Amino acid sequence: AAKYFKIAADNGQVDACRMMGWFYAEGKGGLPQSYKDSFHYIKQAADQGDPTSLDNVGLYYHLGRGVEQSEDKSIFYYKLAAD
């Protein structure tokens, strides 16, 4: 299943980006667990204004998952998600 979600995600489909982020975060769909790859896909969906993904990007920055921990970036994305 991840193969088809990846095709859609690579074409910018928001739900597929979010799903690929979940697959990588959890090591599901035959993919290895990788917060770095998870962040990549979640950030793609967030860049398109997806509120759930904006919140998740904030969480990743808060925890330092796959990215350098940043309180400022975390707050920024949490605020975007809340709007």
Side-chain angles (χ1 to χ4, degrees), residues 12 19 21 26 29 38 43 46 52-53 57 68-69 72 75 81 83:
M19 185 59 79
E26 299 293 325
S38 176
K43 180 79 166 54
T52 300
S53 298
V57 168
E68 187 174 332
Q69 191 172 19
D72 291 338
I75 291 168
D83 286 342

Side-chain angles (χ1 to χ4, degrees), residues 2-73:
K3 172 183 171 182
Y4 298 106
F5 280 108
K6 184 177 184 335
I7 292 168
D10 289 344
N11 285 299
Q13 208 285 333
V14 171
D15 292 330
C17 289
R18 201 169 46 236
M19 185 59 79
M20 286 298 296
W22 180 79
F23 281 152
Y24 275 115
E26 299 293 325
K28 301 286 185 185
L31 299 173
Q33 193 282 327
S34 169
Y35 288 128
K36 183 178 179 181
D37 290 327
S38 176
F39 180 82
H40 167 79
Y41 283 104
I42 292 170
K43 180 79 166 54
Q44 280 186 318
D47 288 345
Q48 295 181 61
D50 179 59
T52 300
S53 298
L54 287 165
D55 185 66
N56 284 331
V57 168
L59 178 65
Y60 275 50
Y61 276 118
H62 178 78
L63 299 175
R65 278 191 179 163
V67 293
E68 187 174 332
Q69 191 172 19
S70 171
E71 186 176 329
D72 291 338
K73 288 181 181 179

